[in-house]
Amino acid sequence: MDVKELIEKLDLKVLCGESLDRKVTGCYCGDLLSWVMSRAQEGDVWLTVMGNINSVGVAVLADVACIVLTENAALDADALNRAKQNDVIILQTEKNSYQIAAAISKLI
Amino acid sequence: MEEVKLHYDVNAYDFTCAGEASGKLKRSLKDLGFDASLIRRVAIAVYEAEINMVIHAEGGVIDATITPECITVVLADKGPGIPDVELAMQEGYSTAPENVRSLGFGAGMGLPNIKKYTDEMTIDTEIGIGTTITLKICNK
Ligand SMILES: Nc1ncnc2c1ncn2[C@@H]1O[C@H](COP(=O)(O)OP(=O)(O)OP(=O)(O)O)[C@@H](O)[C@H]1O
Ligand SMILES: [Mg+2]
């Protein structure tokens, strides 16, 4: 599955991201950055409520497929700029992390 | 490949730049053709040490020496130093202030992550003088 398909199936809103053909291979949930940094795998969808510039830094370094801001968590302007510079895909949903993770587990 | 040396300055309390040096180093390693799992280990370890310099010290300097076999990174700050290194190395130990915790830091997992992802890690620290962390990550 790629990010584009994920967006369609889960009805996610795209906050940032142009090429959406990145492969999705797993999912990780967490808001504490150094946990996410060391546990999230390359290609994971990262579910979080942290929409600041540091999340974007972690997404780049951990090489996740995309960030999904759950429960409509907001994205800072700084974070959006950094995400654009680094081609990080950021999505948003009103659903919570549990609902999204459960849905992803049926898709991959 | 000859030995490559890279240098980065890390600004104090600048969260908008934090992670920039490790990001740049990651890109350079990619360009040099290093394998993805080694790059990931370097990126995680250097990111954690870089963030620590921003949060706990007043920024500092990063020097990386790259050879085909190993990446050695020295991160030096002139911050407050670490009073009890053994305690600081424990998972979950953190002195991060509230404003920093609300950004997602302060799990007390940074130093343990560095240990986990490096082949060698040394901490030289002196109270009131600063902290120098040296990391070495080698091709397996
Ligand atoms: N460069 C440094 N200068 C001074 N103190 C430091 C430095 N690096 C780490 N410390 C001390 O060691 C503690 C543990 O660091 P560690 O990186 O493991 O956790 P943290 O930074 O508090 O949280 P996290 O990394 O999970 O966001 C810090 O809370 C701080 O007290
Ligand atoms: Mg830390």
Side-chain angles (χ1 to χ4, degrees):
Chain A
M1 182 173 60
D2 63 13
V3 173
K4 195 160 183 282
E5 207 181 324
L6 183 84
I7 293 165
E8 285 160 10
K9 296 241 162 83
L10 301 185
D11 193 21
L12 306 170
K13 188 171 158 197
V14 181
L15 301 184
C16 180
E18 313 239 294
S19 51
L20 303 170
D21 51 4
R22 178 92 200 253
K23 271 235 140 6
V24 168
T25 49
C27 177
Y28 189 88
C29 305
D31 302 315
L32 288 172
L33 299 178
S34 51
W35 276 91
V36 178
M37 189 65 169
S38 80
R39 307 294 162 96
Q41 299 298 309
E42 187 184 339
D44 278 355
V45 176
W46 174 22
L47 309 184
T48 183
V49 295
M50 286 289 173
N52 63 55
I53 194 162
N54 302 293
S55 323
V56 178
V58 169
V60 170
L61 292 167
D63 219 1
V64 296
C66 61
I67 297 176
V68 178
L69 294 171
T70 55
E71 306 195 52
N72 277 334
L75 181 66
D76 293 356
D78 278 357
L80 177 61
N81 283 333
R82 180 72 74 89
K84 279 185 184 152
Q85 283 163 20
N86 289 283
D87 297 319
V88 175
I89 304 170
I90 305 186
L91 312 171
Q92 195 188 46
T93 174
E94 74 285 349
K95 298 215 174 68
N96 68 29
S97 292
Y98 168 70
Q99 292 167 314
I100 294 295
I104 289 175
S105 88
K106 292 192 189 114
L107 295 174
I108 51 179
Chain B
M1 184 183 94
E2 295 287 304
E3 184 179 280
V4 176
K5 286 184 182 288
L6 297 171
H7 175 89
Y8 310 95
D9 293 309
V10 179
N11 294 335
Y13 302 113
D14 189 353
F15 292 106
T16 58
C17 287
E20 200 159 283
S22 32
K24 282 185 185 156
L25 177 59
K26 182 182 176 180
R27 238 165 288 141
S28 300
L29 293 175
K30 222 173 199 168
D31 293 343
L32 289 166
F34 280 95
D35 137 86
S37 76
L38 177 123
I39 295 176
R40 182 181 163 82
R41 291 195 294 138
V42 174
I44 292 174
V46 176
Y47 172 82
E48 293 289 5
E50 178 186 359
I51 292 288
N52 280 353
M53 289 205 301
V54 177
I55 295 177
H56 306 296
E58 288 92 45
V61 291
I62 304 180
D63 285 283
T65 306
I66 302 165
T67 68
E69 297 78 32
C70 291
I71 322 292
T72 307
V73 186
V74 181
L75 300 101
D77 68 56
K78 293 191 169 69
I82 304 176
D84 186 340
V85 172
E86 210 181 308
L87 183 63
M89 286 298 299
Q90 285 178 17
E91 288 191 5
Y93 177 82
S94 175
T95 61
E98 197 45 52
N99 64 325
V100 165
R101 285 179 194 266
S102 67
L103 296 171
F105 299 112
M109 292 296 291
L111 292 176
N113 279 350
I114 297 172
K115 179 93 194 152
K116 181 171 154 196
Y117 288 104
T118 55
D119 295 291
E120 282 172 38
M121 170 189 189
T122 54
I123 302 181
D124 293 303
T125 185
E126 208 172 324
I127 301 301
I129 306 284
T131 301
T132 299
I133 300 191
T134 305
L135 315 173
K136 196 168 173 183
I137 294 140
C138 298
N139 264 315
K140 288 273 156 67

Short mmCIF file of all heavy atoms in Angstrom, two decimals, chain A residues 53-102:
data_model
loop_
_atom_site.label_atom_id
_atom_site.label_comp_id
_atom_site.label_asym_id
_atom_site.label_seq_id
_atom_site.Cartn_x
_atom_site.Cartn_y
_atom_site.Cartn_z
N ILE A 53 7.78 21.43 15.05
CA ILE A 53 8.92 21.26 14.15
C ILE A 53 9.78 20.06 14.51
O ILE A 53 10.39 19.42 13.65
CB ILE A 53 9.74 22.56 14.11
CG1 ILE A 53 10.72 22.54 12.94
CG2 ILE A 53 10.45 22.82 15.43
CD1 ILE A 53 11.23 23.89 12.58
N ASN A 54 9.78 19.70 15.79
CA ASN A 54 10.61 18.57 16.21
C ASN A 54 10.06 17.25 15.70
O ASN A 54 10.82 16.32 15.44
CB ASN A 54 10.74 18.57 17.73
CG ASN A 54 11.34 19.88 18.21
OD1 ASN A 54 12.49 20.16 17.94
ND2 ASN A 54 10.53 20.70 18.85
N SER A 55 8.74 17.17 15.56
CA SER A 55 8.16 15.95 15.00
C SER A 55 8.65 15.77 13.57
O SER A 55 8.91 14.66 13.13
CB SER A 55 6.63 16.02 14.97
OG SER A 55 6.13 16.67 16.09
N VAL A 56 8.73 16.88 12.85
CA VAL A 56 9.20 16.80 11.46
C VAL A 56 10.64 16.31 11.43
O VAL A 56 11.00 15.45 10.62
CB VAL A 56 9.05 18.16 10.75
CG1 VAL A 56 9.58 18.07 9.32
CG2 VAL A 56 7.61 18.61 10.76
N GLY A 57 11.45 16.82 12.36
CA GLY A 57 12.85 16.36 12.45
C GLY A 57 12.92 14.86 12.69
O GLY A 57 13.70 14.16 12.03
N VAL A 58 12.10 14.37 13.58
CA VAL A 58 12.09 12.94 13.88
C VAL A 58 11.61 12.14 12.66
O VAL A 58 12.18 11.11 12.32
CB VAL A 58 11.20 12.64 15.11
CG1 VAL A 58 10.96 11.15 15.27
CG2 VAL A 58 11.86 13.19 16.37
N ALA A 59 10.59 12.64 11.98
CA ALA A 59 10.07 11.94 10.80
C ALA A 59 11.15 11.80 9.73
O ALA A 59 11.28 10.75 9.10
CB ALA A 59 8.86 12.69 10.23
N VAL A 60 11.95 12.85 9.57
CA VAL A 60 13.02 12.81 8.58
C VAL A 60 14.08 11.78 8.97
O VAL A 60 14.47 10.93 8.18
CB VAL A 60 13.70 14.20 8.43
CG1 VAL A 60 14.96 14.10 7.58
CG2 VAL A 60 12.71 15.19 7.82
N LEU A 61 14.50 11.84 10.23
CA LEU A 61 15.59 10.97 10.66
C LEU A 61 15.15 9.51 10.77
O LEU A 61 15.91 8.61 10.46
CB LEU A 61 16.18 11.47 11.97
CG LEU A 61 16.90 12.83 11.83
CD1 LEU A 61 17.18 13.44 13.17
CD2 LEU A 61 18.18 12.67 11.03
N ALA A 62 13.93 9.28 11.24
CA ALA A 62 13.46 7.89 11.37
C ALA A 62 12.94 7.37 10.03
O ALA A 62 12.66 6.19 9.88
CB ALA A 62 12.38 7.80 12.43
N ASP A 63 12.80 8.28 9.06
CA ASP A 63 12.40 7.91 7.70
C ASP A 63 11.02 7.23 7.65
O ASP A 63 10.84 6.24 6.94
CB ASP A 63 13.46 7.01 7.07
CG ASP A 63 13.67 7.35 5.60
OD1 ASP A 63 13.00 8.29 5.13
OD2 ASP A 63 14.47 6.67 4.95
N VAL A 64 10.08 7.75 8.43
CA VAL A 64 8.73 7.20 8.39
C VAL A 64 8.06 7.59 7.06
O VAL A 64 8.48 8.53 6.40
CB VAL A 64 7.87 7.69 9.58
CG1 VAL A 64 8.43 7.18 10.89
CG2 VAL A 64 7.74 9.21 9.60
N ALA A 65 7.03 6.83 6.69
CA ALA A 65 6.35 7.10 5.41
C ALA A 65 5.59 8.42 5.47
O ALA A 65 5.56 9.18 4.50
CB ALA A 65 5.41 5.96 5.07
N CYS A 66 4.95 8.69 6.60
CA CYS A 66 4.21 9.93 6.78
C CYS A 66 3.86 10.13 8.25
O CYS A 66 3.96 9.19 9.04
CB CYS A 66 2.92 9.92 5.94
SG CYS A 66 1.78 8.60 6.40
N ILE A 67 3.47 11.35 8.59
CA ILE A 67 2.94 11.64 9.92
C ILE A 67 1.42 11.75 9.77
O ILE A 67 0.94 12.38 8.82
CB ILE A 67 3.47 12.99 10.45
CG1 ILE A 67 5.00 12.96 10.61
CG2 ILE A 67 2.80 13.36 11.78
CD1 ILE A 67 5.60 14.31 11.03
N VAL A 68 0.67 11.14 10.69
CA VAL A 68 -0.77 11.40 10.74
C VAL A 68 -1.08 12.07 12.07
O VAL A 68 -0.84 11.49 13.14
CB VAL A 68 -1.60 10.10 10.60
CG1 VAL A 68 -3.09 10.43 10.73
CG2 VAL A 68 -1.33 9.42 9.27
N LEU A 69 -1.54 13.31 12.02
CA LEU A 69 -1.95 14.03 13.23
C LEU A 69 -3.37 13.61 13.56
O LEU A 69 -4.30 13.90 12.81
CB LEU A 69 -1.85 15.54 13.01
CG LEU A 69 -0.42 16.05 12.80
CD1 LEU A 69 -0.44 17.52 12.38
CD2 LEU A 69 0.42 15.88 14.06
N THR A 70 -3.52 12.88 14.66
CA THR A 70 -4.83 12.35 15.02
C THR A 70 -5.58 13.35 15.89
O THR A 70 -5.00 14.28 16.43
CB THR A 70 -4.68 10.99 15.71
OG1 THR A 70 -3.80 11.13 16.82
CG2 THR A 70 -4.12 9.94 14.76
N GLU A 71 -6.86 13.12 16.04
CA GLU A 71 -7.75 13.99 16.83
C GLU A 71 -7.62 15.47 16.42
O GLU A 71 -7.68 16.37 17.26
CB GLU A 71 -7.50 13.80 18.33
CG GLU A 71 -7.62 12.30 18.68
CD GLU A 71 -7.74 12.03 20.17
OE1 GLU A 71 -8.61 12.64 20.79
OE2 GLU A 71 -6.98 11.20 20.66
N ASN A 72 -7.39 15.65 15.14
CA ASN A 72 -7.24 17.00 14.56
C ASN A 72 -6.17 17.84 15.24
O ASN A 72 -6.31 19.07 15.34
CB ASN A 72 -8.57 17.75 14.58
CG ASN A 72 -9.43 17.38 13.39
OD1 ASN A 72 -8.91 16.98 12.34
ND2 ASN A 72 -10.74 17.51 13.54
N ALA A 73 -5.12 17.20 15.75
CA ALA A 73 -4.02 17.95 16.37
C ALA A 73 -3.47 18.94 15.34
O ALA A 73 -3.37 18.63 14.15
CB ALA A 73 -2.94 17.00 16.84
N ALA A 74 -3.10 20.12 15.81
CA ALA A 74 -2.69 21.19 14.90
C ALA A 74 -1.25 21.05 14.45
O ALA A 74 -0.41 20.47 15.16
CB ALA A 74 -2.89 22.53 15.59
N LEU A 75 -0.98 21.60 13.27
CA LEU A 75 0.38 21.65 12.75
C LEU A 75 0.86 23.10 12.83
O LEU A 75 0.22 24.00 12.30
CB LEU A 75 0.37 21.17 11.28
CG LEU A 75 1.70 21.13 10.56
CD1 LEU A 75 2.61 20.07 11.17
CD2 LEU A 75 1.49 20.82 9.07
N ASP A 76 2.02 23.33 13.49
CA ASP A 76 2.60 24.68 13.57
C ASP A 76 3.04 25.17 12.19
O ASP A 76 3.42 24.35 11.35
CB ASP A 76 3.89 24.69 14.40
CG ASP A 76 3.64 24.39 15.86
OD1 ASP A 76 2.47 24.26 16.24
OD2 ASP A 76 4.64 24.29 16.58
N ALA A 77 3.10 26.47 12.02
CA ALA A 77 3.59 27.05 10.76
C ALA A 77 5.05 26.67 10.52
O ALA A 77 5.42 26.31 9.40
CB ALA A 77 3.43 28.57 10.80
N ASP A 78 5.87 26.72 11.56
CA ASP A 78 7.29 26.31 11.46
C ASP A 78 7.42 24.88 10.98
O ASP A 78 8.27 24.56 10.15
CB ASP A 78 7.93 26.32 12.86
CG ASP A 78 8.36 27.71 13.27
OD1 ASP A 78 8.20 28.62 12.45
OD2 ASP A 78 8.84 27.86 14.41
N ALA A 79 6.57 24.04 11.55
CA ALA A 79 6.62 22.62 11.23
C ALA A 79 6.23 22.39 9.77
O ALA A 79 6.86 21.60 9.06
CB ALA A 79 5.69 21.84 12.15
N LEU A 80 5.23 23.14 9.32
CA LEU A 80 4.79 23.01 7.93
C LEU A 80 5.92 23.41 6.97
O LEU A 80 6.20 22.72 5.99
CB LEU A 80 3.56 23.88 7.69
CG LEU A 80 3.01 23.91 6.26
CD1 LEU A 80 2.57 22.52 5.80
CD2 LEU A 80 1.85 24.88 6.13
N ASN A 81 6.59 24.51 7.29
CA ASN A 81 7.71 24.95 6.45
C ASN A 81 8.80 23.91 6.37
O ASN A 81 9.31 23.59 5.30
CB ASN A 81 8.30 26.26 6.97
CG ASN A 81 7.42 27.43 6.60
OD1 ASN A 81 6.70 27.37 5.60
ND2 ASN A 81 7.45 28.48 7.40
N ARG A 82 9.17 23.38 7.55
CA ARG A 82 10.23 22.38 7.58
C ARG A 82 9.80 21.13 6.82
O ARG A 82 10.60 20.51 6.10
CB ARG A 82 10.59 22.04 9.03
CG ARG A 82 11.68 21.00 9.18
CD ARG A 82 13.06 21.50 8.79
NE ARG A 82 13.60 22.39 9.79
CZ ARG A 82 14.32 21.99 10.83
NH1 ARG A 82 14.61 20.73 10.98
NH2 ARG A 82 14.76 22.88 11.69
N ALA A 83 8.55 20.76 6.95
CA ALA A 83 8.05 19.56 6.26
C ALA A 83 8.13 19.75 4.74
O ALA A 83 8.52 18.85 4.01
CB ALA A 83 6.63 19.26 6.70
N LYS A 84 7.78 20.96 4.28
CA LYS A 84 7.87 21.25 2.84
C LYS A 84 9.30 21.13 2.35
O LYS A 84 9.56 20.52 1.32
CB LYS A 84 7.34 22.66 2.56
CG LYS A 84 5.83 22.72 2.51
CD LYS A 84 5.37 24.12 2.11
CE LYS A 84 3.86 24.23 2.15
NZ LYS A 84 3.42 25.61 2.43
N GLN A 85 10.23 21.72 3.13
CA GLN A 85 11.65 21.66 2.73
C GLN A 85 12.16 20.24 2.63
O GLN A 85 13.02 19.93 1.84
CB GLN A 85 12.51 22.37 3.78
CG GLN A 85 12.46 23.89 3.70
CD GLN A 85 12.98 24.51 4.99
OE1 GLN A 85 13.70 23.87 5.77
NE2 GLN A 85 12.63 25.76 5.24
N ASN A 86 11.65 19.37 3.51
CA ASN A 86 12.20 18.01 3.60
C ASN A 86 11.30 16.95 2.97
O ASN A 86 11.52 15.76 3.17
CB ASN A 86 12.46 17.66 5.06
CG ASN A 86 13.63 18.42 5.62
OD1 ASN A 86 14.79 18.10 5.36
ND2 ASN A 86 13.35 19.48 6.37
N ASP A 87 10.27 17.39 2.24
CA ASP A 87 9.35 16.45 1.60
C ASP A 87 8.75 15.44 2.59
O ASP A 87 8.69 14.25 2.30
CB ASP A 87 10.04 15.67 0.47
CG ASP A 87 10.49 16.60 -0.63
OD1 ASP A 87 9.72 17.51 -0.98
OD2 ASP A 87 11.61 16.40 -1.15
N VAL A 88 8.33 15.94 3.73
CA VAL A 88 7.66 15.07 4.70
C VAL A 88 6.15 15.17 4.47
O VAL A 88 5.60 16.27 4.38
CB VAL A 88 7.99 15.48 6.15
CG1 VAL A 88 7.19 14.65 7.16
CG2 VAL A 88 9.49 15.33 6.41
N ILE A 89 5.50 14.02 4.36
CA ILE A 89 4.05 14.00 4.16
C ILE A 89 3.36 14.10 5.53
O ILE A 89 3.67 13.32 6.43
CB ILE A 89 3.61 12.70 3.47
CG1 ILE A 89 4.35 12.52 2.14
CG2 ILE A 89 2.09 12.69 3.27
CD1 ILE A 89 4.15 11.16 1.50
N ILE A 90 2.47 15.08 5.69
CA ILE A 90 1.72 15.22 6.93
C ILE A 90 0.22 15.18 6.64
O ILE A 90 -0.28 15.94 5.80
CB ILE A 90 2.09 16.51 7.69
CG1 ILE A 90 3.61 16.55 7.91
CG2 ILE A 90 1.35 16.56 9.03
CD1 ILE A 90 4.08 17.69 8.76
N LEU A 91 -0.46 14.27 7.33
CA LEU A 91 -1.89 14.06 7.14
C LEU A 91 -2.60 14.36 8.46
O LEU A 91 -1.97 14.43 9.51
CB LEU A 91 -2.14 12.61 6.71
CG LEU A 91 -1.24 12.11 5.57
CD1 LEU A 91 -1.41 10.63 5.36
CD2 LEU A 91 -1.52 12.89 4.29
N GLN A 92 -3.91 14.50 8.39
CA GLN A 92 -4.67 14.82 9.60
C GLN A 92 -6.03 14.13 9.56
O GLN A 92 -6.60 13.92 8.48
CB GLN A 92 -4.86 16.34 9.67
CG GLN A 92 -5.31 16.86 11.02
CD GLN A 92 -5.64 18.34 10.92
OE1 GLN A 92 -6.32 18.78 10.00
NE2 GLN A 92 -5.17 19.12 11.89
N THR A 93 -6.52 13.79 10.75
CA THR A 93 -7.83 13.15 10.87
C THR A 93 -8.48 13.53 12.19
O THR A 93 -7.78 13.85 13.15
CB THR A 93 -7.69 11.61 10.80
OG1 THR A 93 -8.96 11.02 11.05
CG2 THR A 93 -6.71 11.09 11.83
N GLU A 94 -9.82 13.46 12.23
CA GLU A 94 -10.48 13.74 13.51
C GLU A 94 -10.50 12.49 14.38
O GLU A 94 -10.73 12.56 15.58
CB GLU A 94 -11.90 14.31 13.30
CG GLU A 94 -12.97 13.33 12.85
CD GLU A 94 -12.86 12.93 11.37
OE1 GLU A 94 -12.07 13.57 10.63
OE2 GLU A 94 -13.52 11.97 10.95
N LYS A 95 -10.22 11.33 13.80
CA LYS A 95 -10.24 10.08 14.57
C LYS A 95 -9.04 10.00 15.53
O LYS A 95 -8.05 10.70 15.35
CB LYS A 95 -10.18 8.89 13.61
CG LYS A 95 -11.37 8.82 12.67
CD LYS A 95 -11.75 7.39 12.38
CE LYS A 95 -13.01 7.27 11.56
NZ LYS A 95 -12.84 7.76 10.18
N ASN A 96 -9.12 9.14 16.53
CA ASN A 96 -7.99 9.01 17.45
C ASN A 96 -7.00 7.95 16.96
O ASN A 96 -7.27 7.23 15.99
CB ASN A 96 -8.47 8.78 18.89
CG ASN A 96 -9.14 7.43 19.08
OD1 ASN A 96 -8.84 6.47 18.39
ND2 ASN A 96 -10.05 7.37 20.04
N SER A 97 -5.86 7.87 17.64
CA SER A 97 -4.78 6.99 17.17
C SER A 97 -5.22 5.53 17.18
O SER A 97 -4.84 4.75 16.30
CB SER A 97 -3.53 7.19 18.03
OG SER A 97 -3.00 8.47 17.81
N TYR A 98 -6.00 5.14 18.17
CA TYR A 98 -6.47 3.75 18.23
C TYR A 98 -7.32 3.41 16.99
O TYR A 98 -7.09 2.37 16.35
CB TYR A 98 -7.30 3.52 19.49
CG TYR A 98 -8.04 2.20 19.47
CD1 TYR A 98 -7.32 1.01 19.57
CD2 TYR A 98 -9.41 2.15 19.31
CE1 TYR A 98 -7.98 -0.21 19.52
CE2 TYR A 98 -10.08 0.94 19.25
CZ TYR A 98 -9.36 -0.24 19.35
OH TYR A 98 -10.01 -1.43 19.29
N GLN A 99 -8.25 4.29 16.66
CA GLN A 99 -9.11 4.02 15.51
C GLN A 99 -8.32 3.91 14.21
O GLN A 99 -8.56 3.02 13.39
CB GLN A 99 -10.17 5.13 15.39
CG GLN A 99 -11.18 5.12 16.53
CD GLN A 99 -12.02 6.40 16.57
OE1 GLN A 99 -11.49 7.51 16.46
NE2 GLN A 99 -13.33 6.24 16.71
N ILE A 100 -7.35 4.82 14.06
CA ILE A 100 -6.55 4.81 12.83
C ILE A 100 -5.64 3.59 12.78
O ILE A 100 -5.53 2.91 11.76
CB ILE A 100 -5.74 6.12 12.70
CG1 ILE A 100 -6.68 7.32 12.52
CG2 ILE A 100 -4.75 6.05 11.55
CD1 ILE A 100 -7.49 7.31 11.22
N ALA A 101 -5.01 3.27 13.92
CA ALA A 101 -4.11 2.11 13.95
C ALA A 101 -4.90 0.83 13.64
O ALA A 101 -4.44 -0.03 12.88
CB ALA A 101 -3.43 2.00 15.31
N ALA A 102 -6.08 0.70 14.22
CA ALA A 102 -6.91 -0.49 13.98
C ALA A 102 -7.27 -0.59 12.49
O ALA A 102 -7.20 -1.67 11.90
CB ALA A 102 -8.17 -0.43 14.83
#
